[in-house]
Amino acid sequence: MHGTHAFCPESGASLSEDTIVTEDGQELRYSTGDNAYGDDSYILTTGSRCSSKIALMSRFRECHERHFGTRWIDEDRVAQLYRRVATHLRKLKAEADGESSTRDEWVWFALAERLDREDEPTDWMHAHADQVCPNCGGQLQWYDALRGSLPKCVNDCYGDGRFVGGEIRERVATVYNRAFGGDIGEGVKPTELEVVP
């Protein structure tokens, strides 16, 4: 993912607050607390649009621990949750590979939907990923409406000021259904998904 919730696309490690400016003026950050590639490894990145399964699993674990703490009453239940998440990510990424439009955000929210259907709490996941414009990947501005908040691209990349909540739901539903739609009764309709800021 890019932006506020960016992380290393290979390992899932958090990125530094400090930036390194390249010769062409690009500001890159390095992974923190990342021993996956050795102490001498400095992967410079701003995050990625499409990260590895390992990175997404590591990110899920880190965010889950940050949200719930590292001490659990039922460690077996948490271990089972992590195994299920790894299995779900394998399916989500296997089905998403080759799709240049599949962003980490769509995979993240499809994973949240799957876990929610398994009666796992997932509201916390929305605090660790931002919805982005389905066209340009840019930030969204949220407008209050009678049925909740509606998002628009701040770049107005479509040029017509449209709300993009429906398109976001369609993208997440597509990723979800490619991975889990074959299971009887497991498909999801875009209108069943909640788009929240």
Side-chain angles (χ1 to χ4, degrees):
M1 288 182 221
H2 288 292
T4 309
H5 302 288
F7 56 86
C8 175
E10 296 299 320
S11 69
S14 296
L15 299 180
S16 66
E17 293 295 322
D18 298 331
T19 59
I20 295 172
V21 181
T22 63
E23 291 177 5
D24 62 354
Q26 188 177 14
E27 292 186 16
L28 301 174
R29 300 186 302 173
Y30 55 88
S31 301
T32 60
D34 182 7
N35 294 324
Y37 299 100
D39 293 334
D40 296 332
S41 175
Y42 295 99
I43 297 173
L44 297 175
T45 185
T46 58
S48 180
R49 191 181 144 166
C50 208
S51 302
S52 71
K53 288 180 286 227
I54 292 169
L56 285 167
M57 182 64 214
S58 296
R59 195 62 183 172
F60 178 89
R61 231 184 153 106
E62 180 182 325
C63 292
H64 186 263
E65 289 176 358
R66 193 178 326 149
H67 189 82
F68 292 104
T70 56
R71 296 179 54 87
W72 296 288
I73 295 171
D74 189 352
E75 291 193 16
D76 288 338
R77 185 187 155 306
V78 173
Q80 288 174 359
L81 169 65
Y82 288 168
R83 283 193 293 276
R84 278 189 293 131
V85 168
T87 301
H88 295 335
L89 283 173
R90 195 171 315 126
K91 285 183 178 182
L92 287 162
K93 290 296 285 181
E95 296 300 327
D97 287 346
E99 284 288 322
S100 61
S101 62
T102 303
R103 301 183 61 92
D104 285 344
E105 292 84 358
W106 313 147
V107 173
W108 186 261
F109 291 114
L111 174 64
E113 179 65 23
R114 180 63 178 200
L115 293 174
D116 183 59
R117 287 171 178 246
E118 294 174 351
D119 294 325
E120 288 290 339
T122 58
D123 289 345
W124 65 271
M125 291 180 72
H126 293 281
H128 297 282
D130 291 327
Q131 293 285 10
V132 294
C133 175
N135 187 44
C136 72
Q139 292 181 338
L140 300 175
Q141 185 170 6
W142 295 83
Y143 295 88
D144 290 330
L146 291 175
R147 296 186 189 178
S149 297
L150 297 174
K152 281 187 182 182
C153 177
V154 296
N155 301 325
D156 193 20
C157 61
Y158 288 108
D160 58 6
R162 72 175 73 174
F163 291 104
V164 295
E167 292 177 57
I168 292 170
R169 284 189 288 274
E170 286 176 21
R171 300 286 173 94
V172 174
T174 298
V175 172
Y176 182 95
N177 290 331
R178 276 197 310 249
F180 307 115
D183 300 341
I184 296 173
E186 288 298 325
V188 65
K189 295 176 185 170
T191 54
E192 295 174 328
L193 298 171
E194 184 178 347
V195 177
V196 294

